[in-house]
Amino acid sequence: MYQMKVGEIVDHYRDVSEELTRHGFDLEQRAALLGKSPSTLKHFGGEADKKHWRLISAEDLDRLREKAVELYWAAAAAPYRVEQGAAAKAAGDHAFITPTFIALDVDGRARLRHPHPIRCQEVADIHLGSVIDTHGVTMKVAWDSESAFRSNWRRLVTEVLSERFEDDVEDVCEDIAKAAGVCRYSLFRVALEYQRWNLQPTPMMILGVASLRRDS
């Protein structure tokens, strides 16, 4: 079982905090996101043997990681900005545009517009949807075997959560983590397209979570 030790959790929390700060999301904003005081967040990042140290919950760490990933992908869109075409510039329009793909959910509603198809596919997966371009044409991402496992994992986890929507979300997440052989603190990292924090799912992990399906 992949089990993050307390020291690893603290180090990872510090890494997430540094990443958020790098993207302009400061301590006060992080505290507001979690509904906690800035001093509490400082205690999360302290030394585990100190009096006021506290272990951040997996749920709160997930929220911070999710925000960090969101900000990372927002910043990653910048290189895709291109100048308007010759006709637009001749008319005095020197603005930039950003070509985009659109991630749809299972009901066909737009969940994200982004220039990177892999990020859109990631969001589409967790909403059991698909990716289209701005003309409405469905896009197919050319996955390698590891990417395909990540996509399958995301969809499978969403299906399990959807089937057990009446249960406590944290209880379901604990069950998914146990079935996959990871700790609750590691669960968010599985199948991330943000490679810095990604844990690659294996076929055995996917089979473990698939066993939680009610029709399995």
Side-chain angles (χ1 to χ4, degrees), residues 162-173:
S162 297
E163 286 182 349
R164 296 177 55 179
F165 70 94
E166 294 180 346
D167 298 345
D168 180 80
V169 173
E170 275 303 299
D171 288 343
V172 181
C173 287

Side-chain angles (χ1 to χ4, degrees), residues 118 120-131 141 143-159 190-193 198 200-201 206:
I118 289 180
C120 282
Q121 187 63 59
E122 181 177 33
V123 172
D125 286 342
I126 63 176
H127 292 289
L128 300 179
S130 58
V131 178
V141 177
W143 292 128
D144 58 24
S145 59
E146 289 194 344
S147 299
F149 278 135
R150 294 196 296 274
S151 182
N152 291 341
W153 167 276
R154 291 189 292 263
R155 288 180 174 272
L156 181 59
V157 167
T158 299
E159 288 168 357
V190 180
L192 272 184
E193 292 302 328
N198 172 58
Q200 176 64 31
I206 291 175

